[in-house]
Amino acid sequence: MAATLDVTFTGLRFENPFLLSSAPPTESESNILRAFDAGWGGVVTKTIGLHPVVNVDGPKTKFLRATPDAPHLSMKRRPGMALHSSWNWELISDKPLDWWVPHITRIKQAHPTKVLVASIMAGSGSDEELRHWQTLATACQSAGADALELNLSCPHMDRQDMGSNIGKDQAQISIVTKIVKEVAKVPVWAKLTPSTTDIVVEARGAFLGGADAVVSSNTFPSLTLIDPETLEFEMNVDGYTSSGGLGGPAILPQSLAKMAQLTQAFPDRAFSGIGGISEFAHALNYFVLGCGTVQVCTAAMLDHAIGPNVIKGLKEDMLAFMEKRGFSTLEDFRGIRRDRVVTHSKIRRPDDKAYHGGHDAEGYALPATPETGH
Ligand SMILES: Cc1cc2nc3c(=O)[nH]c(=O)nc-3n(C[C@H](O)[C@H](O)[C@H](O)COP(=O)(O)O)c2cc1C
């Protein structure tokens, strides 16, 4: 059988498992239409909210680059530099829900077979705020959105009841997911923050609330570097900066570590992987850990704003990989390396010596037993 890129994820059919994530590439109708024309299987809109949004006075995203053969990292462009990461302190969409609703309808009419996911965000500090989630969800699904992605992960919200601040709270995640599920007729995905001690706890909250999938990662909290010449942060307004979000190549291994935890804890659940993907070799990591789709932001921003070359490469290289290995669909290799991520003490020692994770063999504490009581 010839290889196909078709996948079914949370009950939705995608012509390929590659989506543009919620970010500048998906902030306008023209961008989303171009993205579908370029071949992306799905698109997650820039996050839509009901609260007023005013962005910082200056650039909202920049790119940190490394100099080959020198330990130099800077946002200033120099010849021959390689991308290290993106850094953003952009808030959610500054376009109101009333702007998005007719545009979602038009996009779906133009591309009925492509998957359009609406990313939404509200607060959680009051019943009224929780109802905002329902208002956003019903408006977007009535307009034609195929699924909803709950933004529980924006890294730079001052409000304690929004974004990654609720994404660190299992109970809040459950409440928000459940509130949306009460009105949702389409699948609901929960996009979690990586800025948490044990992401499995938050994912459990999302699944308890009824989430159909968990999405990870949003950007990692981070600061821009100081310019040693000027002693100013490389991104600042009037000399001030704030915590922002790191994306791009630098977060690929970190995001994979989060995804490995998630897919091992919930092997039968649906996951969409994000973080540092610019070619199929990167996406493959997420697939073999168990993801059913992946999403891209930074690489697309740097490729004509919506990633026409990125999606071309992803599709071509995935097909070539599958044909070479005799795989017919993603299901043939999804999750095949999930169980190879083990605890440190399970990694073989030289001469078959056993290691007990720092317990009895080291002469320290014995492993907890009913007798020792610890
Ligand atoms: C400038 C910028 C704006 C973003 N805005 C949003 C957003 O509105 N909602 C959201 O869920 N994620 C947002 N993200 C996070 C991305 O969707 C994605 O999770 C993150 O950048 C990691 O993917 P990457 O390594 O491919 O960039 C934004 C990222 C960037 C760089």
Side-chain angles (χ1 to χ4, degrees):
M1 205 171 91
T4 172
L5 299 184
D6 265 43
V7 295
T8 300
F9 183 76
T10 61
L12 301 169
R13 186 197 155 269
F14 292 74
E15 64 182 52
N16 64 64
F18 304 115
L19 286 75
L20 278 180
S21 71
S22 175
T26 64
E27 72 187 354
S28 66
E29 178 179 342
S30 58
N31 269 11
I32 297 175
L33 292 175
R34 279 175 61 217
F36 283 149
D37 288 338
W40 292 95
V43 152
V44 185
T45 67
K46 176 80 190 158
T47 300
I48 308 164
L50 291 178
H51 59 285
V53 171
V54 182
N55 274 298
V56 296
D57 185 8
K60 293 167 286 184
T61 318
K62 277 195 181 174
F63 301 94
L64 192 62
R65 293 186 165 85
T67 315
D69 307 324
H72 197 77
L73 279 180
S74 175
M75 286 179 169
K76 287 190 205 130
R77 271 180 176 277
R78 288 163 199 246
M81 290 180 97
L83 181 67
H84 171 277
S85 53
S86 61
W87 191 83
N88 97 83
W89 58 0
E90 177 178 271
L91 299 171
I92 66 168
S93 177
D94 51 14
K95 299 182 177 86
L97 179 62
D98 289 352
W99 182 91
W100 276 101
V101 163
H103 287 85
I104 289 173
T105 304
R106 288 226 303 259
I107 295 165
K108 272 309 287 183
Q109 280 164 355
H111 286 281
T113 61
K114 300 277 191 175
V115 178
L116 182 61
V117 183
S119 168
I120 57 173
M121 179 205 261
S124 59
S126 66
D127 288 352
E128 189 190 351
E129 282 289 350
L130 289 171
R131 274 194 298 278
H132 285 168
W133 284 98
Q134 295 188 322
T135 304
L136 290 161
T138 47
C140 292
Q141 74 184 4
S142 304
D146 298 294
L148 301 164
E149 187 178 272
L150 312 183
N151 183 337
L152 304 164
S153 47
C154 184
H156 30 241
M157 302 301 301
D158 287 353
R159 280 181 59 167
Q160 286 307 305
D161 69 331
M162 269 191 175
S164 62
N165 292 330
I166 52 174
K168 292 169 191 156
D169 183 328
Q170 188 197 36
Q172 299 262 54
I173 292 171
S174 264
I175 291 167
V176 166
T177 313
K178 198 158 171 287
I179 286 282
V180 173
K181 282 295 282 187
E182 275 172 21
V183 297
K185 299 190 175 79
V186 296
V188 175
W189 305 356
K191 184 170 178 182
L192 299 183
T193 175
S195 169
T196 167
T197 317
D198 183 0
I199 198 167
V200 169
V201 172
E202 284 77 32
R204 184 165 293 119
F207 289 132
L208 284 173
D212 298 282
V214 160
V215 181
S216 176
S217 292
N218 204 315
T219 47
F220 285 64
S222 58
L223 280 187
T224 58
L225 304 184
I226 291 277
D227 180 333
E229 297 300 320
T230 62
L231 291 189
E232 297 291 351
F233 291 100
E234 285 199 300
M235 264 177 100
N236 73 79
V237 176
D238 305 330
Y240 290 94
T241 193
S242 68
S243 177
L246 196 76
I251 71 164
L252 174 64
Q254 300 185 67
S255 182
L256 289 174
K258 296 283 174 191
M259 193 48 78
Q261 281 181 275
L262 289 168
T263 57
Q264 285 200 340
F266 306 101
D268 300 326
R269 297 294 194 154
F271 291 95
S272 187
I274 318 184
I277 299 172
S278 56
E279 61 176 23
F280 176 67
H282 304 152
L284 177 62
N285 289 277
Y286 288 97
F287 293 141
V288 297
L289 288 176
C291 291
T293 57
V294 292
Q295 305 184 23
V296 177
C297 166
T298 298
M301 282 198 289
L302 289 168
D303 172 25
H304 302 84
I306 54 100
N309 298 301
V310 174
I311 182 60
K312 188 167 176 286
L314 286 168
K315 285 167 45 181
E316 284 174 4
D317 292 351
M318 179 161 169
L319 267 183
F321 165 85
M322 290 169 72
E323 274 156 15
K324 184 170 163 203
R325 305 245 165 189
F327 294 137
S328 306
T329 72
L330 170 59
E331 284 311 299
D332 293 342
F333 60 101
R334 192 172 67 80
I336 59 173
R337 289 293 177 266
R338 181 174 45 217
D339 298 332
R340 295 280 187 95
V341 183
V342 294
T343 53
H344 196 277
S345 54
K346 295 223 167 62
I347 305 290
R348 184 171 61 77
R349 266 54 195 174
D351 308 325
D352 287 337
K353 284 200 178 74
Y355 175 64
H356 300 284
H359 287 282
D360 60 333
E362 295 284 309
Y364 294 109
L366 291 170
T369 63
E371 290 77 47
T372 59
H374 55 80

